[in-house]
Amino acid sequence: MPGLTESELAKFAAAQRSVGFVEDGMKLGLGTGSTAAWMVRCLAARARAEGLRLTCVPTSDRTAVQAKDLGLEVVSLDEAGWLDLTIDGADEIDPAMNLIKGGGGAHLREKVVAMASDRMIVIADPGKEVVQLGAFALPIEVLSFGLDSSVAQIARVLENAEVAARTTQVRMAGDAPFRTDEGNCIVDANLGAIGQPEALAHALNALPGVVETGLFLGVCDSVVIGHGDGRVDMIAAPGAAPETSRVDPAEAAHLPG
Ligand code: 5RP
């Protein structure tokens, strides 16, 4: 497909397959990031073509704008109540379907929405699959109040953690710390490899300045991996054999948005 990279086509393929799990009347959580943005376009196209009545809860302000622009009904999580399905991207996916998320700075709302859903499907290109979490810097959302103190407390936790590296940096947006949609800051922790994700998540979440980490442990139910040639591997549960199907990469050019 001219104009689209292999990686974009892979994201489209995963996104297109994932919206096949959407049914009329569903309440949906919409993820954030470039892969999720493909999903919102695929979803809007399907909703338009089939007249689906969907209620959507975006996980970020930018996804909310995109979804509304494409004609999807957007409500708050509290207006929607419990959700049937959340579809979102990830930065890393391990064989147990544990994730690192938050590269786009939205992991707090993403986790709140995913945890309020019957099911979370993660969509990704093959580059997101890892044997062990940690090569991608772990995003840790912290209060802006006492930011330096939280960075120091995180460093102390990392001293006792089973990780391969221990450097951190405050995520910046120009000269100022990046702010999430909730007005918080993000500390990115370069850990190399995370030996005990549960213990690390527990220790970090025990710090009062930490709002939430990008570790999604036991939250994801199914994974859809797209490939640049339109092949899609659907893994229904951790350890399940992938079911392979195909989508037409040419359809990417006809999506709204
Ligand atoms: C945003 C996220 C994204 O899902 C994650 O960063 C993947 O993004 P992309 O699909 O652009 O690679 O967690 O907070």
Side-chain angles (χ1 to χ4, degrees):
M1 160 112 328
L4 284 181
T5 63
E6 189 84 357
S7 159
E8 288 304 311
L9 285 169
K11 291 174 188 184
F12 159 73
Q16 182 74 312
R17 177 71 186 91
S18 73
V19 303
F21 294 96
V22 172
E23 293 170 17
D24 189 32
M26 273 190 166
K27 295 180 189 177
L28 299 172
L30 307 181
T32 295
S34 57
T35 319
W38 275 109
M39 180 274 297
V40 174
R41 293 174 67 191
C42 295
L43 183 68
R46 204 183 143 211
R48 215 177 275 181
E50 298 177 31
L52 301 181
R53 290 160 301 122
L54 304 171
T55 304
C56 301
V57 177
T59 53
S60 64
D61 294 348
R62 59 186 182 276
T63 298
V65 168
Q66 184 198 13
K68 279 184 206 160
D69 284 351
L70 292 176
L72 292 166
E73 186 194 341
V74 168
V75 300
S76 70
L77 181 56
D78 287 339
E79 285 167 325
W82 196 255
L83 306 180
D84 298 292
L85 170 65
T86 286
I87 306 175
D88 201 350
D91 299 300
E92 286 190 344
I93 307 163
D94 80 3
M97 293 189 183
N98 290 324
L99 317 171
I100 287 183
K101 285 183 54 55
H107 65 271
L108 173 59
R109 287 193 188 177
E110 289 171 336
K111 198 179 281 190
V112 171
V113 169
M115 299 285 288
S117 307
D118 277 341
R119 186 174 179 205
M120 181 195 199
I121 296 179
V122 167
I123 52 177
D125 58 89
K128 304 295 181 63
E129 290 186 295
V130 298
V131 173
Q132 186 174 23
L133 298 178
F136 190 91
L138 176 67
I140 305 167
E141 184 154 344
V142 298
L143 296 179
S144 62
F145 176 83
L147 176 59
D148 292 345
S149 172
S150 288
V151 169
Q153 291 176 47
I154 288 169
R156 248 194 253 169
V157 164
L158 295 181
E159 276 169 27
N160 298 311
E162 201 179 302
V163 291
R166 293 180 172 80
T167 57
T168 62
Q169 64 275 334
V170 174
R171 193 179 297 183
M172 301 298 285
D175 290 340
F178 169 86
R179 294 298 184 121
T180 68
D181 285 346
E182 293 297 318
N184 298 314
C185 299
I186 291 189
V187 177
D188 288 304
N190 306 294
L191 307 176
I194 304 173
Q196 300 282 348
E198 287 83 5
L200 180 61
H202 188 73
L204 289 171
N205 278 322
L207 299 176
V210 168
V211 183
E212 192 51 83
T213 79
L215 284 167
F216 281 51
L217 308 177
V219 180
C220 168
D221 299 291
S222 309
V223 169
V224 178
I225 301 290
H227 300 267
D229 61 359
R231 231 172 354 109
V232 183
D233 294 322
M234 162 73 191
I235 307 149
E243 277 173 35
T244 302
S245 56
R246 300 195 73 82
V247 303
D248 181 1
E251 287 177 13
H254 305 297
L255 291 174

